Amino acid sequence: MRQTQITINVELDENHVPEKMTWNAQDGGVENQETKATMISVWDEKAMEALRIDLWTKDMPVDQMKMFLHQIFVSLGHTYQRATGEDDVADKIQEFAEDFAFMSKIK
């Protein structure tokens, strides 16, 4: 069986707040790419719940965080459609993403 790794390195300040983050993805050709935010979700089948790690650096601009979240909402709609084939629900997720963009004043 072949294995690969995706890693995230987090430098913390004295208060344990992320100050700098980089990530690596062997198969994607990504090496020490700097990022301001990351959100990772994994499915715990035993507990039947999503476990999350949400991190952002203290200098992540609020307007960029809004754009980041908007793009995640759009991606969730696409992922939901591909995983379930339920276009009507996927469309609702897309509608929410657009409402979010309007309300957060990024569009």
Side-chain angles (χ1 to χ4, degrees):
M1 178 185 283
R2 184 177 179 280
Q3 291 187 2
T4 189
Q5 287 190 336
I6 298 171
T7 60
I8 299 170
N9 301 308
V10 182
E11 292 180 23
L12 305 172
D13 68 9
E14 62 280 349
N15 296 314
H16 306 285
V17 175
E19 202 161 54
K20 181 180 179 184
M21 292 190 293
T22 58
W23 67 290
N24 303 281
Q26 292 175 335
D27 288 352
V30 177
E31 188 172 333
N32 290 321
Q33 175 86 33
E34 192 164 345
T35 186
K36 297 285 185 194
T38 184
M39 292 185 176
I40 302 170
S41 297
V42 296
W43 180 246
D44 183 331
E45 186 176 13
K46 290 179 185 171
M48 297 294 286
E49 65 184 5
L51 306 175
R52 296 185 356 250
I53 299 171
D54 301 336
L55 296 172
W56 58 92
T57 61
K58 59 186 175 184
D59 65 342
M60 172 79 170
V62 172
D63 61 329
Q64 288 183 24
M65 179 60 88
K66 291 177 183 182
M67 289 186 280
F68 180 51
L69 289 170
H70 174 255
Q71 291 174 20
I72 288 170
F73 295 143
V74 170
S75 292
L76 285 172
H78 294 306
T79 299
Y80 186 89
Q81 194 287 325
R82 284 193 321 272
T84 66
E86 297 175 4
D87 293 337
D88 55 339
V89 178
D91 289 345
K92 286 291 185 188
I93 296 170
Q94 296 301 328
E95 285 176 30
F96 170 77
E98 291 311 305
D99 288 345
F100 173 85
F102 176 77
M103 292 173 64
S104 63
K105 297 178 178 63
I106 58 172
K107 277 194 170 184

